[in-house]
Amino acid sequence: MLGMKWKMVTDSLCGRRRRLPCYLWLLLLAAAGSLVLFIHLQDLSEILQQGPGVKLRSTPRQSRETLSTQGRERVKSDNYQDQAEAILSSPIPPMQFPHFEESKQMPTPGSQEQSRQASSPRELLKTSPPVRHSNNNDSSSSTSSSLAVSPSASGSFIPDGWKNLGDIQIARRQLMKEMCAKYKSSITKTVTAYHLRNFFVEDKYKLIYCQVPKAGCSNWKRTLIVLSGLAPDAQSIQHNKAHDIHFVRELHTFDQKEIMHRLETYTKVMFVREPMERMVSAYRDKLENPNKYYHKTFGKPIISKYRANPSPEALETGDGVTFKEFVQYMLDVHRPIGIDIHWDQANNLCSPCLIDYNYIGKFENMEEESNFLLRLIGAPPNVTLPSFKDRNPDDKRTSVNITEKYFSQVSTLERQRIYDFYYTDYLMFNYTKPFKDLY
């Protein structure tokens, strides 16, 4: 009997010993929960203690409506010097500089460009806002139509209506930031000579220009030459001289220290154009019109591969490449010759996710946006961007209608694939689909 009682006591103790780990786990879980709650309350307390006026770093969850309002308030400053600094200062930390300490300045809020009510599928999204100037008898007090002016950094005067362009610049740069974060977050952060192959420098006004051919680059190079004092006016500069490296300095020719100094301190500029319209313009200029170099270098291999029964003369000269043959070459993953700068993607030419641009202009509003930029950097009032066309001057400029005419020569699938080829440019630079049948 005593033995049985002793056995029952022993089993009871063993059972308790088996239940002890459960109690320990409950205690550990309770302690962990208390610790998490304590940390959360501490973080909340720190945020509340920052008080009014403290800028918190912008996060992806911040609403675009808030960004848009903040951007407009910043540009509408009464002091034009502050406006110029707001427009030309970078809203993005200089992640592109591999050997520089990260800037402590908070990103400047902005907003994505908002689309206009387009009467045509080809119409751009807020590319060319109307800037009206009233006459002396107009009593309207609207900012966009006022003759009131503000002093610029150079002492000249800027119409208040140009403040709209400042809003647009903030929106374009903010959109670029968003698209790069979404689609190009894995790219290298190191600037190489390859990335700088299309960059040109004007030191007097501290300007860096990335060329996108067929988006006004010849006239912009002429303007750089005038700014440097090497020519009295742009009209006197011939086409070949505008592209002569003896007159326009390339950024990659400086040493690394000078390159990084300029990238960090100069105003960085690029101008873009509706991608498929730019492609048609390049085809017309380089392959449809007489051009011995391009006919020999590109025309001959294109005709040889994509024409069913080419004549000996066509194979010899490379003349007469059709637009359909050009499209076949563009879409071929095994092209007989590589992509040329004149029809390469703008985001590939200027690396906007690596180089932090201060100003992104558009060809569709080239004159107004270029001259606005020239006033911002303090260029003399008489220096403006020329608008003449010195290559094939008898040809009409490539337009929406002309682009549609050329693309009517190819199939719907080919149009879609060309759109896909330039899709990143359409996203980054906020262009609408050029044809209704694209998806």
Side-chain angles (χ1 to χ4, degrees):
M1 191 72 171
L2 183 63
M4 290 180 64
K5 289 183 177 180
W6 176 251
K7 186 174 184 304
M8 291 174 63
V9 171
T10 304
D11 290 344
S12 177
L13 291 174
C14 291
R16 290 177 183 173
R17 195 176 297 121
R18 285 194 296 270
R19 287 195 294 271
L20 280 175
C22 296
Y23 294 135
L24 286 176
W25 278 113
L26 289 174
L27 289 172
L28 288 174
L29 289 173
S34 299
L35 180 61
V36 170
L37 179 61
F38 176 78
I39 294 174
H40 176 72
L41 292 175
Q42 284 293 103
D43 291 342
L44 181 60
S45 176
E46 290 178 3
I47 293 174
L48 292 175
Q49 288 174 3
Q50 291 184 20
V54 178
K55 292 184 179 180
L56 301 179
R57 186 173 296 276
S58 175
T59 68
R61 288 173 290 186
Q62 188 173 5
S63 71
R64 289 183 179 176
E65 289 78 13
T66 301
L67 293 173
S68 177
T69 302
Q70 293 172 341
R72 286 195 299 269
E73 288 176 353
R74 180 168 184 174
V75 174
K76 289 179 180 177
S77 168
D78 291 334
N79 187 291
Y80 188 79
Q81 178 67 32
D82 292 341
Q83 296 171 29
E85 291 177 358
I87 295 168
L88 296 182
S89 64
S90 169
I92 310 171
M95 64 179 182
Q96 72 273 20
F97 307 132
H99 306 300
F100 281 68
E101 182 178 293
E102 183 173 340
S103 171
K104 296 181 180 180
Q105 183 179 2
M106 293 296 182
T108 303
S111 65
Q112 183 174 351
E113 283 186 89
Q114 299 178 1
S115 61
R116 294 181 294 172
Q117 295 296 327
S119 58
S120 163
R122 289 296 308 275
E123 190 167 0
L124 304 173
L125 298 184
K126 202 170 181 181
T127 295
S128 309
V131 180
R132 303 187 303 271
H133 305 286
S134 64
N135 54 39
N136 293 333
N137 298 324
D138 191 354
S139 59
S140 172
S141 60
S142 172
T143 301
S144 64
S145 61
S146 173
L147 274 175
V149 292
S150 302
S152 72
S154 64
S156 59
F157 290 91
I158 306 298
D160 274 354
W162 281 9
K163 292 178 183 178
N164 296 333
L165 297 180
D167 281 319
I168 291 174
Q169 281 303 312
I170 291 175
R172 287 177 186 169
R173 291 159 62 197
Q174 179 66 16
L175 174 63
M176 182 65 65
K177 178 183 178 182
E178 294 173 2
M179 292 299 101
C180 289
K182 186 173 183 179
Y183 296 103
K184 299 277 189 175
S185 58
S186 62
I187 66 169
T188 177
K189 301 300 185 290
T190 303
V191 178
T192 67
Y194 173 80
H195 297 119
L196 305 178
R197 65 197 185 281
N198 298 310
F199 286 69
F200 298 87
V201 179
E202 200 294 299
D203 281 318
K204 184 176 179 181
Y205 291 92
K206 296 185 177 181
L207 190 66
I208 294 177
Y209 168 71
C210 180
Q211 67 168 345
V212 177
K214 312 312 298 178
C217 75
S218 296
N219 282 333
W220 252 108
K221 286 184 179 180
R222 288 185 174 98
T223 303
L224 294 180
I225 294 173
V226 173
L227 288 174
S228 67
L230 296 177
D233 56 72
Q235 285 71 19
S236 63
I237 304 173
Q238 296 180 352
H239 186 271
N240 291 337
K241 183 179 178 181
H243 295 275
D244 192 331
I245 60 174
H246 294 95
F247 296 98
V248 185
R249 183 77 182 268
E250 295 175 289
L251 180 59
H252 69 80
T253 61
F254 293 91
D255 62 38
Q256 183 179 8
K257 183 178 179 180
E258 292 175 319
I259 288 173
M260 300 315 293
H261 169 71
R262 284 165 173 77
L263 284 175
E264 186 184 40
T265 60
Y266 282 22
T267 299
K268 297 171 288 295
V269 180
M270 67 179 295
F271 275 80
V272 296
R273 184 177 185 177
E274 203 286 332
M276 293 172 77
E277 183 176 296
R278 175 173 162 256
M279 172 187 160
V280 171
S281 177
Y283 164 75
R284 296 176 70 204
D285 182 32
K286 304 303 179 186
L287 294 172
E288 187 175 67
N289 283 309
N291 191 311
K292 185 175 293 186
Y293 170 79
Y294 275 89
H295 289 196
K296 179 180 179 181
T297 306
F298 289 88
K300 290 172 65 174
I302 288 175
I303 290 173
S304 177
K305 183 168 185 179
Y306 306 109
R307 188 171 295 182
N309 296 300
S311 67
E313 182 182 1
L315 290 173
E316 176 65 25
T317 63
D319 296 345
V321 172
T322 67
F323 185 69
K324 186 172 181 61
E325 290 169 343
F326 179 61
V327 168
Q328 288 178 293
Y329 147 77
M330 288 284 293
L331 299 177
D332 190 350
V333 294
H334 302 293
R335 300 183 189 96
I337 187 170
I339 286 287
D340 183 69
I341 186 176
H342 289 82
W343 45 81
D344 198 358
Q345 302 158 1
N347 78 87
N348 187 41
L349 297 173
C350 293
S351 303
C353 293
L354 180 62
I355 305 299
D356 189 11
Y357 286 89
N358 306 97
Y359 198 94
I360 302 170
K362 289 194 173 182
F363 179 84
E364 292 76 15
N365 195 31
M366 173 66 79
E367 183 177 356
E368 185 176 31
E369 295 189 18
S370 296
N371 293 330
F372 175 56
L373 171 62
L374 290 170
R375 304 292 78 77
L376 286 177
I377 65 172
N382 64 311
V383 177
T384 58
L385 189 82
S387 59
F388 61 85
K389 184 177 185 291
D390 61 342
R391 286 181 60 84
N392 308 307
D394 295 333
D395 285 353
K396 291 183 179 179
R397 289 184 184 273
T398 303
S399 62
V400 171
N401 292 334
I402 289 177
T403 301
E404 291 176 347
K405 177 182 176 182
Y406 277 85
F407 272 99
S408 68
Q409 303 172 29
V410 301
S411 68
T412 302
L413 177 60
E414 287 170 322
R415 283 199 300 272
Q416 179 65 52
R417 291 183 62 197
I418 290 293
Y419 174 75
D420 293 342
F421 176 81
Y422 289 113
Y423 183 64
T424 304
D425 280 0
Y426 277 96
L427 286 180
M428 287 187 170
F429 305 117
N430 206 14
Y431 284 104
T432 58
K433 293 179 182 179
F435 300 104
K436 292 181 179 179
D437 57 1
L438 297 177
Y439 56 83

